[in-house]
Amino acid sequence: MLRAAGNAANASAFDPRADSAALDRPSPSSVRAARQRYIEAKYVARAFVDRAWRPAGGSGPLCASLAAVAETVGGPAGAVPAIPRIWDAAAATRLLFAAAECGDAGAVVRAIALGADVNGLLPVHGSAGVAEGSCATPLLVALFGQSQLALILTDDSNKNNSNIGSSSSSTASNDAAAAAAAAAAVEESSPHRAHLEIAELLLLNGASAAWQDAVRGFSALHVACAADKTAVAKYLLDKGADPLLVATQCGRRPIDLIGDAQAALKPIVESATLRAEERIRLEMASRSSADHPTAYHRHRRESVGSNSSATTTSTTTNGVAKQSGASSVFAAARRFTQSLNPSAAVAAAMGSRMSV
């Protein structure tokens, strides 16, 4: 977060007080307890955030993006929204969407410090300007931009996109080809650079990569595959996005939205899908063998038990046999010695009578 936004921007968002006013700010030589109290007050309680903050200047990419967000949610076209006197969570979330759209990391940090919802929802409008229930999170806006999301997540946004995510009888390859062509058209008309550093900020602060659109059920990985965004798809997979997640409306996984022409993207998602399927197969096999042992496992345990008993019995029997065999050898040797010395035999016999 500090690399993307800068230490100065982070400090000004969470503790904008001058050093002379911040008497409770610990130094590097302060005890651990004092530093811990300050960190909790700064980042958890956000006790030092300036909720009357005003953005510097009246122009620039952030203000332009704020105007676009105002128009999207029903404000007058071209009007720069009024800066709230005191920032609440709703206003901070609007600021977060605007900053994610234009890639302003400092404003993203400011919005998070002001209490923005990193999983908040922004209605996505089609070409007719009508919201159909589809929404986007700040993460999707940072990665794809509102124009491309409107193409992918709405039905009437582009005539070439009418089959994307629908439950029609057309094949997945035809839908994927239509998605790639429509995404390319939007990319040419209004290019949006994927702000991966903004996505990293959002994920570090609790944004969900598994969120699914309420209408189509598309996740961020679905959108990346439909829009042929190889770098974004790889980034999402590295961050733990599920390649087996099924879209609720059309029942398709991200790999099902990729056409054969998308040569760079397909092997990446295909490999991740196969690995995920293999992992689930191994987990199910392990769980099945632990909870419900097969006849082979039962037979194996019984065989091991009977072999142990047989081994014990055999050892005992062999021990007795060895002992009786040794006794017979000693008796034969004694008889042979007595036969060589008759007096010893007589003395042995007398001794046995006296003992009796």
Side-chain angles (χ1 to χ4, degrees), residues 12-282:
S12 65
F14 284 92
D15 189 0
R17 301 172 299 167
D19 291 337
S20 58
L23 300 178
D24 56 347
R25 184 180 296 158
S27 65
S29 59
S30 301
V31 296
R32 181 182 180 85
R35 286 180 290 166
Q36 183 68 27
R37 284 194 302 268
Y38 174 74
I39 290 173
E40 290 178 357
K42 180 178 179 180
Y43 293 109
V44 180
R46 298 175 185 176
F48 314 122
V49 173
D50 181 12
R51 301 193 178 276
W53 168 77
R54 296 288 183 274
S59 62
L62 179 57
C63 288
S65 186
L66 278 169
V69 171
E71 183 179 351
T72 302
V73 297
V80 177
I83 302 300
R85 186 173 61 86
I86 297 296
W87 288 87
D88 58 7
T93 303
R94 299 244 335 255
L95 173 64
L96 179 61
F97 276 108
E101 175 79 24
C102 66
D104 189 334
V108 167
V109 174
R110 174 73 65 177
I112 293 173
L114 290 168
D117 183 0
V118 294
N119 290 307
L121 299 179
L122 178 72
V124 175
H125 292 63
S127 59
V130 178
E132 301 174 346
S134 294
C135 295
T137 63
L139 179 64
L140 269 71
V141 170
L143 293 175
F144 307 105
Q146 294 185 62
S147 298
Q148 199 157 53
L149 289 173
L151 173 74
I152 300 296
L153 297 179
T154 61
D155 288 330
D156 61 347
S157 58
N158 192 289
K159 62 181 180 180
N160 294 327
N161 196 35
S162 58
N163 290 330
I164 297 178
S166 66
S167 56
S168 64
S169 58
S170 60
T171 62
S173 60
N174 290 337
D175 287 347
V186 169
E187 189 70 17
E188 291 179 1
S189 61
S190 57
H192 174 83
R193 183 180 70 85
H195 302 297
L196 298 183
E197 71 282 358
I198 302 298
E200 187 74 13
L201 280 171
L202 295 170
L203 290 172
L204 286 173
N205 284 275
S208 173
W211 177 88
Q212 291 180 272
D213 171 57
V215 176
R216 296 187 180 278
F218 279 9
S219 66
L221 187 58
H222 280 90
V223 178
C225 293
D228 195 15
K229 295 285 190 179
T230 302
V232 174
K234 186 176 184 303
Y235 173 81
L236 291 170
L237 288 170
D238 291 341
K239 294 299 177 181
D242 186 4
L244 302 180
L245 195 63
V246 176
T248 53
Q249 186 192 61
C250 63
R252 292 176 185 167
R253 303 168 302 171
I255 187 66
D256 300 326
L257 300 176
I258 302 177
D260 294 333
Q262 296 166 269
L265 176 61
K266 189 170 184 178
I268 296 174
V269 181
E270 192 172 41
S271 176
T273 302
L274 292 175
R275 289 196 304 269
E277 289 175 342
E278 178 66 12
R279 183 173 63 252
I280 290 179
R281 188 189 67 79
L282 293 175

